[in-house]
């Protein structure tokens, strides 16, 4: 199992910021799902580090996938569910996190 370290934390911050932007969500949305004490990144990372300590990268990725699945059931108003032509955009319930989880599983099997 890989250890939580500063480099991993930095990569996770970049991933989270990109993911939140892509999802049209905020750190406050993530805080609510993670039940963190604050919307600040250190508080969010504290919750995610705890997940990592309990089950490694698979548990951390599974938690983030659960958050994304929860968000897919209640789309963000910031995303704007209608396109310019008036068609409703289809929301991918797993987004990119399922790919991350699969990669982690593949690495743990190797």
């Amino acid at each position: 199992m890989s250890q939580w370290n500063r480099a991993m934390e930095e990569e996770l911050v970049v991933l989270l910021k990109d993911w939140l932007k892509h999802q049209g969500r905020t750190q406050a949305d993530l805080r609510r799902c993670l039940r963190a004490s604050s919307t600040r990144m250190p508080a969010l990372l504290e919750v995610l580090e705890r997940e990592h300590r309990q089950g490694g990268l698979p548990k951390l990725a599974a938690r983030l996938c659960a958050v994304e699945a929860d968000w897919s059931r209640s789309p963000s108003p910031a995303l704007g569910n209608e396109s310019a032509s008036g068609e409703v955009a289809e929301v991918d319930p797993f987004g990119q996190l399922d790919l991350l989880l699969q990669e982690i599983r593949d690495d743990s099997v190797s």
Side-chain angles (χ1 to χ4, degrees):
M1 178 167 78
S2 64
Q3 296 296 316
W4 186 271
N5 57 47
R6 184 74 180 145
M8 177 186 208
E9 193 172 286
E10 289 171 0
E11 287 180 33
L12 187 56
V13 167
V14 171
L15 172 80
L16 290 173
K17 287 181 179 182
D18 186 49
W19 177 52
L20 290 170
K21 183 179 176 182
H22 176 73
Q23 293 292 318
R25 299 290 182 158
T26 65
Q27 287 180 206
D29 296 324
L30 184 56
R31 184 210 67 79
R32 278 189 290 281
C33 288
L34 295 177
R35 295 185 185 103
S37 61
S38 169
T39 61
R40 302 186 68 113
M41 192 57 74
L44 299 173
L45 290 173
E46 182 180 308
V47 172
L48 296 174
E49 182 179 5
R50 190 168 41 245
E51 290 289 328
H52 183 268
R53 276 191 310 237
Q54 293 174 353
L57 283 176
K59 182 157 182 172
L60 172 64
R63 179 74 185 266
L64 293 175
C65 286
V67 167
E68 187 166 302
D70 184 48
W71 286 348
S72 72
R73 289 186 293 273
S74 59
S76 171
L79 279 177
N81 292 330
E82 288 190 18
S83 65
S85 64
E87 296 175 0
V88 176
E90 186 174 322
V91 177
D92 180 0
F94 300 105
Q96 296 178 343
L97 288 178
D98 61 332
L99 299 175
L100 175 62
L101 182 58
Q102 184 60 45
E103 184 176 323
I104 290 168
R105 286 180 179 153
D106 291 347
D107 287 347
S108 65
V109 172
S110 303

